[in-house]
Amino acid sequence: MECAATLAGKAASVTVIGRSKTPFAQVLGEQVGQALLKMHEDKGNKFVFGTVPSQFVGEDGHLTGVCLSDGQTIPADMCLIGAGVVASTDFLKESGIPMTREGCIIVDKGMKATEDVFSAGDIAYFPLPFVGESVNIGHWQIAHSHGRTAAKTMLGQMVEFNSIPFFWSQMFGKSIRYCGYAKSFDDVIIDGALDELKFAAYYVSGDRVCAVAGMNMDPIVSQAAELLHTNKMPPASEIRNDPSAWQKQFIPKAE
């Protein structure tokens, strides 16, 4: 989607193909996903959902089209594929180092896998105190924190990894920020105006806020990350009642 935003207005046309009906829905929810979809469509980008490429066609060594599983053929002279990532750890399968089915290396709170072996970054399966379980997260901010924790553990310092995941994406000069971890959520509380791309979204499981995303609402996401880190984030019921109440604690008091 970031590449599609960059190419809009530069390429003759841009078509995004995807399995799901809404971009980012799994992470940001349907409402936010639809708002970002409209932002792209308003810039001329086209979308084809519910299908996948089945083959490429070309002429004289050059791409001329992308054939889709639903029978469509999209004319194209360039194709960018986002196929995801897989942990490159096959060489460790017989090493005795603990690994998940997906090939991630299982570590403790100090990023230690086994004696004298540490793992950090995208291949680490690590305990995340905020959610109370082990996870695998491919954010560079998480990898930075992993490295510091692993280094201190190597030096004999009793340090445990404790950070709130935080990432952002920028499209058409607008930045969306996200903090927390919501593997799944029951509801999304929207504060602001999605049609104006000025909002904060709270991802809720039960009465617990698991993550917060925002666009043109700084510094809400950074403030939310601090509350999630200190376990002081208000329950979802309070945010539904008054989304701005919790932010008042960050307003400097008059002398």
Side-chain angles (χ1 to χ4, degrees):
M1 292 289 282
E2 291 169 339
C3 290
T6 300
L7 290 170
K10 299 180 179 69
S13 67
V14 177
T15 302
V16 179
I17 301 163
R19 290 190 180 93
S20 62
K21 64 178 183 178
T22 303
F24 304 114
Q26 188 172 350
V27 176
L28 298 176
E30 289 285 338
Q31 293 170 280
V32 175
Q34 284 293 325
L36 298 178
L37 171 62
K38 184 177 184 303
M39 178 178 70
H40 273 261
E41 290 178 332
D42 288 345
K43 296 294 184 178
N45 286 348
K46 302 171 186 176
F47 290 81
V48 179
F49 293 124
T51 185
V52 295
S54 58
Q55 68 177 26
F56 298 103
V57 292
E59 187 176 327
D60 297 327
H62 298 284
L63 179 70
T64 59
V66 180
C67 300
L68 306 182
S69 58
D70 64 1
Q72 296 185 70
T73 297
I74 308 296
D77 52 19
M78 182 178 76
C79 181
L80 177 65
I81 301 174
V85 295
V86 177
S88 183
T89 54
D90 287 351
F91 68 101
L92 295 173
K93 283 184 177 179
E94 305 301 325
S95 67
I97 294 173
M99 298 169 64
T100 67
R101 251 185 339 184
E102 295 78 18
C104 295
I105 298 173
I106 301 171
V107 298
D108 61 18
K109 296 176 181 179
M111 309 310 297
K112 187 174 183 178
T114 187
E115 192 63 31
D116 296 328
V117 177
F118 297 80
S119 178
D122 293 3
I123 63 170
Y125 186 74
F126 62 97
L128 184 61
F130 161 61
V131 297
E133 62 182 78
S134 288
V135 297
N136 171 248
I137 298 175
H139 300 166
W140 72 266
Q141 167 259 349
I142 288 290
H144 279 200
S145 297
H146 281 176
R148 288 193 295 270
T149 302
K152 290 181 178 181
T153 304
M154 292 175 193
L155 294 171
Q157 301 177 24
M158 300 303 293
V159 176
E160 296 181 356
F161 174 84
N162 189 9
S163 183
I164 296 297
F166 192 106
F167 74 89
W168 67 90
S169 179
Q170 191 166 36
M171 295 169 283
F172 303 113
K174 299 182 184 298
S175 180
I176 184 164
R177 295 173 168 85
Y178 179 103
C179 73
Y181 181 80
K183 190 174 182 179
S184 61
F185 42 88
D186 309 324
D187 191 18
V188 182
I189 303 170
I190 302 294
D191 174 29
L194 286 169
D195 58 342
E196 297 175 10
L197 298 176
K198 183 179 176 63
F199 63 87
Y202 301 83
Y203 299 88
V204 176
S205 179
D207 199 32
R208 180 172 181 262
V209 175
C210 303
V212 180
M215 179 176 270
N216 291 320
M217 293 281 276
D218 291 340
I220 281 181
V221 177
S222 297
Q223 293 170 342
E226 176 64 22
L227 294 188
L228 290 172
H229 186 260
T230 56
N231 199 29
K232 294 180 180 178
M233 192 72 195
S237 52
E238 288 187 20
I239 291 174
R240 285 192 183 93
N241 184 53
D242 184 357
S244 64
W246 68 270
Q247 301 163 40
K248 295 173 183 176
Q249 63 187 287
F250 291 97
I251 300 174
K253 295 181 180 178
E255 294 292 339

